[in-house]
Amino acid sequence: MSAYELRKNALVKAATGEKREIEYPRKADGSPKYPSEIYGENVFTLKTMAKALPKPIFSSFLKQRRGRQNLDKTTADSIAHAVRVWAMDRGATHYTHWFQPQTGATAEKHDAFLSLLSSFTPGGEEVTPIDQFSGSQLLQSEPDASSFPSGGMRTTFEARGYTIWDTSSSMFVQRGPNGTSILYIPSVFISYNGDALDEKTGLLRSNEVLSRAAAELVNLLEPDAHVAHVYTTLGTEQEFFLVDRTMYALRPDLKITGRTLVGQLPPRHQQLEDHYFGRIPSRVMRAISELELECLRLGIPIKTRHNEVAPAQFEVAPIFEEASVAVDHNLLTMDVLHKVAHRHNLRVLYHEKPFKGVNGSGKHCNWAVATDRGENLLDPTVRPETNFRFLVFLLAVLRALQEHAPLLRAAISSSSNEHRLGAQEAPPAIISAFLGDQLNEVLDAIDEDRPLKNFSVPQFQTIKVGGTVLDVKVAGLPHIARDLTDRNRTSPFAFTGNKFEFRAVGSKQSPSFPVTVLNCAVTAAITEIVADLRAQMGSKPAPSDDDTLAVIRKYIRLTRPVRFEGDNYSDAWVAEAARRGLPNIRTAPEAFTYLLKDKHLAMLTTDTGIFSHGELMSRYHILNERYAKDVIIEAETLKTIVGQQILPAALEYRKSLAESAAALKAVGVEAAPEVQVLNELAPLVVALQAEHTKLAAAVQKLIDHESDDSNKHAQAACDS
């Protein structure tokens, strides 16, 4: 069957085929359940655990979870038994340690609860089947570490690795085959020597060091606060494309590389600006609704769904959660959406730029810090100019950007995200922060020791961060509150009311590493500010307002270059950023080199202790190797498509035209149209053949590239 017939059949099936419908859960009286009644029903929450365990055992677990003691065998065995019974009551036959290797995805190996108990009698061996799950099986498992990216830390003859239960993230069950379920145990992944081989270990470490530094700063500024713990919170806006699965299967480039390598835009795409927030297609709505139901059961608080800018592009976004849990939930959402899309004969595309000429996809990470009392440390409150705690933490973030922007650029770099960054749809390579006119005025007024300007009435002394009021001048409509700042979608790092939005993260990558780097950079900045505060206050028990203001003014001046309110896409900003001394890192391989530059390497290793030198070197090699491999795979795919499909089709078409023209001339019929097309086509075929030959040579040269330096290989791939 021809490709045309296959595409036609796919379109007919999409339009006339059976539509998948699911029944929304209902109460005993037949009325629909509220979302809150479904939320977390497949999660072994602390509340569920408390009901299943004796109080002393549960108390012991809570102490371990807070880092106050190790998990003893009795507690581990009790939890394992309780969670096995809970999971098997929900159809679970297997369990898996679910972890995040450095592949950008998650990994799992399923083991059955079934065990065999052997006993020997005079008549021979008797085998008794039992369901069993021990504390040691709960705590750890052993995957082959050499089969995952390790940057040289693990080899085939040094293959042992361990997955270890992350007690900060709740276990859950997911649907398995044939009406069964699987128990998922969120885990970290380390080598035999204890080195982190995954994305999550670094994130958990960074959360802890940021917590200690931030708590010290809060208690220094407010001695009566008694803050014991500070949490990083995260909300990930996940963008993606949904396309027909049959049509997807007809595109080898899309299947192999995640993006189209050949083709052209249709006459109508996103130029009418009518897809964003438009009506969600019914087929997609059914799929996303099923996704939301699955996420509810898994305790993932999906809040928002909508069309994105490009045709077939969409977004879902959750309520903010503690950062490590939010990352788990983001990766789980991506996995669930993949499965749900399959049920609707759809394919989800997470590549940052699957189609040239229309918007790509990102994963906007909304980041903030909050105390164990629930106070958001990035909340400006009504009078930010006197809220020293807010100002200090705001400046700590700006200082982190100023000092370690290249690390943030490296953390979001990949061959796929490079196609999206700076393309009038995503932030450019220059890292800057957008605060908005009013917060900039607060900082400038403090720096210049003058009264605040009012944006509407002269000589205004305070700024209400809650926003001003907008009257839309329609009698039947209410007045609305206007936000403190406008929204600068060109900024890679924008303050959006009480959080920062890190917009440069790619849609298919795990948020773990970008958030880890951000946490580390902010920790380093907080540590620097605490040292300056202590030096300023001298022997006093707490800094005075004048002491705090002096430090605030210092960091306002230091961080001024990283604040930018204008168009980050403009050529003028590139020139201005250079004048300010901000790095403009244009390629991923260049960005990766900053991981090993002295200042940044010291911050990630000795200063914060998040990575050992070996772990950071491993990550550096993995990033470079992945970049080079991605480029080679794309080039090989393009070479194959051109050589096996496009070029043969062009040659066949040329032959058909020549034969048609010859036949027409033989019977005395004018063949000018055929000859004209043939004359236009012939040089194109020759040029295509020549370019294909050059591509094949370039691919082979890249494959044969010999260098012990992985970055040189990545750079060669970038330049090829």
Side-chain angles (χ1 to χ4, degrees):
M1 188 180 293
S2 69
Y4 170 77
E5 288 295 325
L6 290 170
R7 284 194 292 269
K8 185 180 75 172
N9 291 345
L11 292 172
V12 171
K13 181 180 178 182
T16 63
E18 183 179 346
K19 307 295 190 293
R20 175 179 169 82
E21 298 282 355
I22 61 168
E23 182 69 23
Y24 193 80
R26 295 185 176 276
K27 303 177 186 177
D29 62 4
S31 61
K33 284 186 176 182
Y34 293 172
S36 58
E37 296 175 300
I38 305 169
Y39 183 78
E41 66 180 26
N42 287 345
V43 182
F44 194 64
T45 61
L46 284 178
K47 185 177 180 180
T48 304
M49 185 186 291
K51 291 179 180 178
L53 295 176
K55 285 186 178 179
I57 296 292
F58 183 65
S59 176
S60 175
F61 171 72
L62 289 182
K63 289 179 182 177
Q64 181 279 328
R65 204 168 187 253
R66 296 176 187 134
R68 296 177 184 172
Q69 70 178 41
N70 292 326
L71 197 64
D72 59 83
K73 184 178 186 304
T74 301
T75 303
D77 284 339
S78 298
I79 296 172
H81 174 76
V83 74
R84 178 186 64 78
V85 172
W86 173 85
M88 292 188 71
D89 286 344
R90 286 156 179 78
T93 57
H94 291 69
Y95 66 92
T96 179
H97 285 78
W98 182 67
F99 60 102
Q100 304 170 22
Q102 294 178 61
T103 58
T106 57
E108 56 195 70
K109 178 191 72 170
H110 300 173
D111 289 299
F113 287 124
L114 177 68
S115 294
L116 297 179
L117 185 64
S118 295
S119 60
F120 292 90
T121 65
E125 181 183 12
E126 289 189 3
V127 176
T128 303
I130 60 171
D131 296 307
Q132 189 177 56
F133 186 47
S134 67
S136 60
Q137 289 172 315
L138 166 64
L139 291 179
Q140 72 180 64
S141 182
E142 187 181 322
D144 178 3
S146 68
S147 297
F148 294 97
S150 70
M153 298 189 78
R154 294 279 86 189
T155 61
T156 307
F157 68 92
E158 297 174 315
R160 195 180 298 278
Y162 299 109
T163 52
I164 302 173
W165 174 31
D166 170 22
T167 57
S168 68
S169 189
S170 297
M171 292 178 276
F172 56 92
V173 293
Q174 271 205 98
R175 182 194 304 186
N178 305 317
T180 65
S181 297
I182 301 158
L183 173 65
Y184 281 73
I185 305 166
S187 305
V188 299
F189 179 37
I190 62 172
S191 74
Y192 178 71
N193 298 319
D195 298 309
L197 297 176
D198 65 341
E199 299 280 12
K200 194 176 194 181
T201 302
L203 176 62
L204 293 174
R205 291 172 182 170
S206 71
N207 285 341
E208 289 190 4
V209 298
L210 178 58
S211 174
R212 289 195 295 269
E216 180 184 4
L217 178 53
V218 172
N219 293 326
L220 181 63
L221 293 170
E222 302 172 2
D224 296 331
H226 303 298
V227 169
H229 197 90
V230 172
Y231 300 88
T232 53
T233 62
L234 185 68
T236 52
E237 303 172 26
Q238 180 67 56
E239 296 174 344
F240 55 91
F241 284 79
L242 279 172
V243 298
D244 183 85
R245 192 170 193 85
T246 308
M247 300 290 280
Y248 163 84
L250 295 172
R251 291 299 304 252
D253 49 356
L254 205 52
K255 289 180 64 177
I256 296 171
T257 71
R259 73 184 183 106
T260 53
L261 302 176
V262 293
Q264 66 178 31
L265 281 171
R268 176 177 173 177
H269 43 92
Q270 67 182 44
Q271 68 268 53
L272 295 181
E273 300 175 329
D274 57 349
H275 192 257
Y276 189 61
F277 278 28
R279 182 184 64 81
I280 300 176
S282 57
R283 184 180 177 192
V284 172
M285 179 68 90
R286 287 193 297 271
I288 293 182
S289 179
E290 185 172 348
L291 164 74
E292 291 172 332
L293 178 57
E294 296 269 357
C295 286
L296 274 176
R297 289 173 170 146
L298 292 168
I300 303 173
I302 298 294
K303 182 73 172 178
T304 302
R305 64 189 182 200
H306 64 81
N307 283 6
E308 261 298 334
V309 172
Q313 187 187 31
F314 309 93
E315 178 185 299
V316 293
I319 299 171
F320 297 178
E321 301 175 282
E322 193 276 323
S324 63
V325 175
V327 170
D328 279 359
H329 282 172
N330 173 253
L331 297 175
L332 187 52
T333 299
M334 294 171 71
D335 181 58
V336 172
L337 179 54
H338 174 81
K339 296 173 183 175
V340 169
H342 186 88
R343 297 171 201 158
H344 291 263
N345 199 35
L346 294 168
R347 174 70 185 198
V348 60
L349 305 178
Y350 290 121
H351 192 288
E352 286 81 1
K353 195 75 171 180
F355 305 107
K356 184 179 179 180
V358 298
N359 273 25
S361 299
K363 192 193 307 274
H364 303 170
C365 290
N366 295 276
W367 179 94
V369 282
T371 70
D372 48 13
R373 300 181 302 186
E375 298 173 311
N376 183 351
L377 297 174
L378 289 177
D379 181 2
T381 65
V382 173
R383 296 187 63 182
E385 68 272 22
T386 59
N387 186 343
F388 292 167
R389 187 182 70 182
F390 161 72
L391 291 171
V392 167
F393 275 92
L394 177 74
L395 291 166
V397 177
L398 296 181
R399 180 64 169 167
L401 293 188
Q402 181 196 27
E403 286 292 285
H404 299 291
L407 286 184
L408 292 175
R409 174 68 173 91
I412 54 89
S413 294
S414 66
S415 65
S416 54
N417 207 22
E418 298 295 278
H419 294 290
R420 164 181 166 263
L421 292 178
Q424 299 299 310
E425 68 203 69
I430 303 169
I431 302 293
S432 65
F434 169 83
L435 300 183
D437 292 340
Q438 295 191 30
L439 274 184
N440 268 298
E441 167 59 16
V442 168
L443 297 183
D444 290 344
I446 292 173
D447 181 26
E448 298 164 14
D449 196 18
R450 60 169 172 77
L452 291 168
K453 296 176 182 176
N454 181 10
F455 290 88
S456 57
V457 180
Q459 303 306 317
F460 184 60
Q461 294 297 310
T462 65
I463 292 173
K464 185 174 181 181
V465 171
T468 54
V469 172
L470 284 177
D471 181 0
V472 293
K473 296 181 173 59
V474 177
L477 296 180
H479 292 181
I480 64 169
R482 181 169 65 178
D483 288 317
L484 168 68
T485 65
D486 203 343
R487 192 167 182 198
N488 188 338
R489 291 177 58 85
T490 72
S491 176
F493 210 85
F495 187 76
T496 55
N498 59 3
K499 62 187 184 302
F500 277 97
E501 183 181 18
F502 190 13
R503 300 187 67 249
V505 181
S507 56
K508 78 173 183 180
Q509 76 176 118
S510 166
S512 286
F513 189 47
V515 175
T516 297
V517 169
L518 177 58
N519 287 350
C520 292
V522 173
T523 298
I526 289 173
T527 302
E528 183 183 1
I529 289 173
V530 166
D532 282 348
L533 273 172
R534 293 194 183 281
Q536 185 70 33
M537 62 188 267
S539 59
K540 294 194 288 288
S544 65
D545 286 353
D546 287 341
D547 293 334
T548 306
L549 269 174
V551 173
I552 286 173
R553 286 194 177 98
K554 173 184 175 179
Y555 284 91
I556 289 174
R557 291 162 189 163
L558 284 174
T559 60
R560 187 180 297 277
V562 84
R563 289 155 45 195
F564 181 64
E565 305 300 303
D567 182 1
N568 285 255
Y569 294 155
S570 68
D571 292 336
W573 168 233
V574 175
E576 172 63 16
R579 187 187 66 79
R580 296 185 185 191
L582 300 181
N584 183 5
I585 304 170
R586 299 181 183 275
T587 68
E590 180 188 356
F592 298 151
T593 63
Y594 283 86
L595 289 168
L596 303 186
K597 292 189 183 295
D598 290 346
K599 179 173 75 170
H600 307 304
L601 185 147
M603 188 275 289
L604 290 172
T605 56
T606 55
D607 294 352
T608 60
I610 302 304
F611 298 106
S612 68
H613 187 272
E615 288 171 339
L616 192 61
M617 285 296 296
S618 164
R619 185 171 293 273
Y620 167 79
H621 289 307
I622 289 170
L623 289 169
N624 281 294
E625 289 167 2
R626 179 61 185 265
Y627 184 94
K629 289 174 182 177
D630 282 344
V631 172
I632 290 171
I633 289 169
E634 287 192 354
E636 288 265 46
T637 303
L638 181 58
K639 181 188 74 171
T640 301
I641 290 174
V642 172
Q644 296 183 5
Q645 294 178 263
I646 298 176
L647 190 54
L651 293 171
E652 182 62 31
Y653 182 43
R654 184 179 66 172
K655 176 184 174 183
S656 174
L657 283 173
E659 290 176 347
S660 177
L664 289 170
K665 288 183 178 180
V667 296
V669 177
E670 178 59 50
E674 287 78 3
V675 172
Q676 180 179 344
V677 174
L678 188 58
N679 287 334
E680 293 172 356
L681 177 65
L684 296 178
V685 173
V686 172
L688 178 61
Q689 173 69 55
E691 291 298 320
H692 180 256
T693 302
K694 288 167 58 178
L695 173 63
V699 171
Q700 193 58 50
K701 181 179 178 182
L702 195 54
I703 293 172
D704 295 339
H705 182 90
E706 293 184 4
S707 174
D708 293 333
D709 187 340
S710 59
N711 186 255
K712 288 183 178 179
H713 195 197
Q715 190 61 60
C718 181
D719 295 338
S720 62

